[in-house]
Amino acid sequence: MNVLVFFSALLLSCSVELAHSFSSTSLRNQYRCALHRKSVARTVAVFLPQQTVTTSLYLSKDREYSREIRLREEAESPFRKVRFFLYAAILGGAFTSLAVSIARIAAGLSGVNTGLLEESTTNAAIDIGGIALFGFLFKRDADAQESRLKRAAKGAEFAKLAIRGSPALLDGAEGAASGQLAGKTAVTATLSSLRRGRGVDKRVVIAAAGKDTIREVLEEAALAEPLVLNDLVIVPVVYPQGTAPLGLDVDLLEQDCVALPAGGNWKAVINDEASEAVRQGVDITGEGFCIVLKKNGRVGQRTKGIYLDRMVGEVNERRAAGMDVSNI
């Protein structure tokens, strides 16, 4: 009997996974439509003094996520709650069955109902195996959920960051607004406006390091043609201030491959990334690090050090090999 229940539950779990594969795309599209309607009503503040914003998609220090982030995760995996319910039900039944089997084994060892001893031992072994298997599946599903929530929250934090750049770079971006800065025309938009299908398709390279390292990076970025041809936009961020490099920001607005931090939660986001990089042995001030956002808005890679020529070379190599370069 235990064997039948065990394999029936396993078959049901597999069926849920199969149904998820057919339905997740539709739910994800519905969620994206909802986000689009929300973004149409949102406007971008132009040329406000840079400040640290304390709002976050995390509701507490215990990594409680906002409703928006949880909705996104559910759209990507709509049957996860069903699987959690199944895990709980199956584990509850297995523990109950194990308790009964242990009681029967104890009774058999005491000389009572000895004929059930062998059957009870087999049932107990099956129960223990089922508990171990579904406990593992539950833990794996819970870890996957946490990973998706973290990725979604981080992506949403990046999307809200504001940048400022030349009209040639940002004109046509969704939600962009133009104005005057030190006698020059500049355009302000959010990083989300550089995603594919929103007017300007760019790969965003957030380069964070100490002031001197950032200055060297900007000298390299002055060779703008290969960066522009490969749809790369450099966003230099001085660590730990989380700001644009002061004294160079006005001149950089004339470059078509450079955008500058222009408000939002830049300091908190960069310091959070820097904390992780430090744990991996990165010298933030001297070496710096890069976060590359793909055209779909997701984090493509994180690199130790800032090597723009290598990034350009990788894109050129993929293009020369006939590989897709539109989604990287």
Side-chain angles (χ1 to χ4, degrees):
M1 183 65 180
N2 283 8
V3 176
L4 180 60
V5 173
F6 175 75
F7 283 104
S8 297
L10 187 60
L11 180 60
L12 182 59
S13 179
C14 293
S15 300
V16 170
E17 285 286 353
L18 182 61
H20 163 252
S21 66
F22 287 103
S23 63
S24 59
T25 300
S26 174
L27 288 174
R28 193 180 299 116
N29 288 338
Q30 294 177 22
Y31 174 71
R32 287 174 178 170
C33 290
L35 281 186
H36 177 70
R37 290 193 297 269
K38 183 178 179 180
S39 65
V40 169
R42 186 184 297 140
T43 57
V44 179
V46 185
F47 306 113
L48 293 176
Q50 294 194 36
Q51 53 185 326
T52 300
V53 180
T54 58
T55 58
S56 175
L57 292 167
Y58 302 116
L59 298 182
S60 75
K61 293 182 179 180
D62 296 324
R63 289 277 187 185
E64 285 294 329
Y65 299 95
S66 69
R67 182 175 178 275
E68 178 183 345
I69 294 302
R70 292 194 174 276
L71 178 61
R72 180 181 301 179
E73 191 278 331
E74 289 179 11
E76 293 181 353
S77 185
F79 282 92
R80 194 185 303 279
K81 288 186 176 180
V82 177
R83 294 197 297 273
F84 282 161
F85 174 79
L86 290 175
Y87 296 150
I90 293 169
L91 287 171
F95 275 112
T96 302
S97 178
L98 179 61
V100 172
S101 296
I102 291 175
R104 287 181 174 179
I105 292 172
L109 293 175
S110 301
V112 180
N113 292 330
T114 56
L116 297 177
L117 182 59
E118 183 178 352
E119 179 185 351
S120 298
T121 303
T122 302
N123 289 342
I126 294 174
D127 292 332
I128 293 172
I131 291 171
L133 173 61
F134 283 95
F136 167 76
L137 292 177
F138 175 82
K139 178 64 165 57
R140 187 185 66 172
D141 220 346
D143 289 344
Q145 180 186 45
E146 181 66 17
S147 177
R148 283 180 182 270
L149 287 170
K150 286 181 180 179
R151 186 175 69 244
K154 182 61 66 176
E157 291 279 12
F158 280 125
K160 291 182 177 182
L161 296 176
I163 55 173
R164 181 181 301 145
S166 68
L169 173 62
L170 297 178
D171 265 350
E174 185 179 276
S178 60
Q180 294 291 319
L181 180 67
K184 297 182 179 181
T185 301
V187 179
T188 299
T190 59
L191 287 181
S192 62
S193 64
L194 301 185
R195 294 178 179 178
R196 185 175 55 249
R198 301 193 180 185
V200 179
D201 298 349
K202 295 291 184 181
R203 300 179 188 88
V204 180
V205 180
I206 301 174
K211 184 176 181 180
D212 293 337
T213 303
I214 288 295
R215 188 180 296 272
E216 295 175 4
V217 170
L218 294 176
E219 291 176 357
E220 185 177 356
L223 301 175
E225 183 176 357
L227 296 173
V228 174
L229 290 176
N230 288 282
D231 294 335
L232 289 169
V233 174
I234 313 303
V235 182
V237 184
V238 176
Y239 176 81
Q241 292 84 358
T243 62
L246 300 179
L248 301 174
D249 48 352
V250 176
D251 294 333
L252 292 173
L253 290 176
E254 298 178 351
Q255 297 190 26
D256 297 341
C257 62
V258 177
L260 303 175
N265 209 16
W266 276 101
K267 183 174 182 179
V269 171
I270 293 300
N271 286 345
D272 185 43
E273 291 286 337
S275 298
E276 182 63 30
V278 169
R279 284 194 290 269
Q280 299 179 16
V282 179
D283 177 10
I284 307 297
T285 304
E287 293 178 296
F289 64 92
C290 280
I291 307 164
V292 182
L293 304 181
K294 300 191 292 186
K295 289 186 177 182
N296 60 9
R298 295 185 176 182
V299 176
Q301 61 178 321
R302 292 174 171 85
T303 66
K304 177 181 179 180
I306 306 171
Y307 305 103
L308 301 181
D309 54 344
R310 184 183 302 174
M311 295 180 189
V312 172
E314 289 175 354
V315 177
N316 287 334
E317 288 175 2
R318 289 179 63 92
R319 184 182 291 110
M323 301 172 66
D324 175 46
V325 296
S326 60
N327 295 311
I328 61 173

